[in-house]
Amino acid sequence: MAIVALKAWYIEQYEPIREIVKRPHDLRLSRSSLLKSGLRADILDETEEIATSKWFERYIEGETIEFYIEGSGGYAIANLDLKSHEIYLTKQELNAFLEPKIFFSYQQEYKESSELFREVLEAAIAKVNKTARIPLSLELAQRPKNAPLRLSSGQLRQIRKSLLFIADGTAIATTTREDKPQLLLSSNVCVELGYALHSKRQGQILLLQMERLQGQFPFDLTSHQQLSCKTAEEVRQMLPSLLEALLQRFNL
């Protein structure tokens, strides 16, 4: 039976998949068995070649080593036996499948806050791009005119594939609940935020707010990053540094 060699690319730092596959592969494998959460394979490369590779040196130092395997997706090494040329890998979500974009879910009911956030985000991204390996872009949510919001598969993909999801959670009005004022947010933002909470990892969501009305926030996002500001000056001072901190994990 002929051996079908699978190409594998070592993921050292964030880089989109479409760019990764343009460079030479780092490993050749012959799949022995495929499990729901893992993969066992024979290594086809020579021992000397593997032993001197950067990824193997980091593996024996105890680092998590991730690969993109053509036709199979993302994996991390669970165990490797260099003598028998066997490798065991576990399924892994790779940042490489994300696009170098920041998705901004803005609201139209109180335009002042979203316009300010957009202005500061665009300036901060331009600053990051001056020294970044991979340039970032700002993706704006679609807002249909005189029609209800319908999230298409393409729009959902934009949220799911973005490096970061940023939403304008500034209150647009208040209501009363049990004699206590309750803040109301843009319904469009809430729909997109709900999908982001479902599809994004912790650390990839940022909720921005301008403090303009008194009342209780309708939900608590304790495990996700939030920034609340009273003035435009506070936004200009705090948002760029927070954005850079959230982007550090991608080592742009």
Side-chain angles (χ1 to χ4, degrees):
M1 185 176 178
I3 295 176
V4 179
L6 297 175
K7 297 177 183 178
W9 287 264
Y10 168 47
I11 311 296
E12 182 178 3
Q13 53 192 355
Y14 170 72
E15 191 178 4
I17 287 292
R18 66 175 180 272
E19 298 299 326
I20 289 173
V21 297
K22 291 179 182 179
R23 59 177 168 83
H25 57 275
D26 300 284
L27 190 62
R28 291 185 308 126
L29 303 172
S30 175
R31 185 170 60 200
S32 301
S33 60
L34 178 62
L35 305 174
K36 185 176 182 180
S37 60
L39 171 68
R40 185 178 69 180
D42 297 319
I43 300 174
L44 301 179
D45 297 316
E46 296 296 331
T47 302
E48 294 76 13
E49 185 179 349
I50 296 170
T52 57
S53 65
K54 181 187 294 186
W55 66 263
F56 183 74
E57 291 178 5
R58 294 185 173 181
Y59 169 72
I60 60 178
E61 290 174 358
E63 293 188 26
T64 299
I65 304 300
E66 298 178 336
F67 283 96
Y68 168 67
I69 301 176
E70 63 174 343
S72 298
Y75 288 85
I77 297 179
N79 191 35
L80 187 154
D81 188 339
L82 203 53
K83 290 184 178 180
S84 64
H85 273 222
E86 282 190 326
I87 187 171
Y88 298 84
L89 305 110
T90 55
K91 197 71 176 175
Q92 187 89 347
E93 288 188 32
L94 299 180
N95 287 330
F97 288 108
L98 301 177
E99 298 290 338
K101 298 178 180 180
I102 295 174
F103 187 96
F104 180 43
S105 174
Y106 67 95
Q107 47 89 7
Q108 298 171 296
E109 294 84 354
Y110 181 70
K111 294 183 178 181
E112 288 86 343
S113 63
S114 282
E115 289 174 354
L116 172 62
F117 293 145
R118 177 180 177 177
E119 172 197 326
V120 176
L121 285 171
E122 288 176 339
I125 290 172
K127 181 180 177 181
V128 170
N129 284 343
K130 289 181 180 179
T131 57
R133 294 180 298 109
I134 301 168
L136 288 171
S137 61
L138 187 65
E139 186 99 41
L140 298 179
Q142 296 183 24
R143 294 289 179 259
K145 294 182 179 180
N146 303 318
L149 176 67
R150 294 186 179 91
L151 289 181
S152 66
S153 58
Q155 291 169 288
L156 294 177
R157 185 183 184 280
Q158 288 177 338
I159 295 174
R160 189 173 64 253
K161 291 292 186 178
S162 61
L163 284 187
L164 299 177
F165 173 88
I166 299 178
D168 182 358
T170 300
I172 60 173
T174 61
T175 187
T176 301
R177 181 179 179 183
E178 297 179 354
D179 297 328
K180 295 181 180 180
Q182 186 94 0
L183 298 177
L184 295 178
L185 309 187
S186 166
S187 57
N188 289 345
V189 171
C190 287
V191 170
E192 292 163 346
L193 177 60
Y195 183 72
L197 290 170
H198 167 73
S199 62
K200 308 295 290 177
R201 299 181 190 178
Q202 185 174 335
Q204 291 181 314
I205 296 177
L206 172 60
L207 183 64
L208 303 175
Q209 297 170 267
M210 292 298 294
E211 299 177 15
R212 58 180 296 264
L213 299 174
Q214 296 296 319
Q216 184 178 8
F217 202 66
F219 44 78
D220 188 12
L221 299 179
T222 55
S223 61
H224 297 277
Q225 187 67 55
Q226 299 182 58
L227 177 63
S228 182
C229 298
K230 294 181 179 179
T231 65
E233 185 59 31
E234 286 184 354
V235 175
R236 294 189 176 95
Q237 288 180 353
M238 300 171 67
L239 181 52
S241 58
L242 178 54
L243 181 65
E244 288 187 16
L246 292 174
L247 291 170
Q248 277 184 352
R249 64 185 297 179
F250 303 106
N251 192 23
L252 297 172

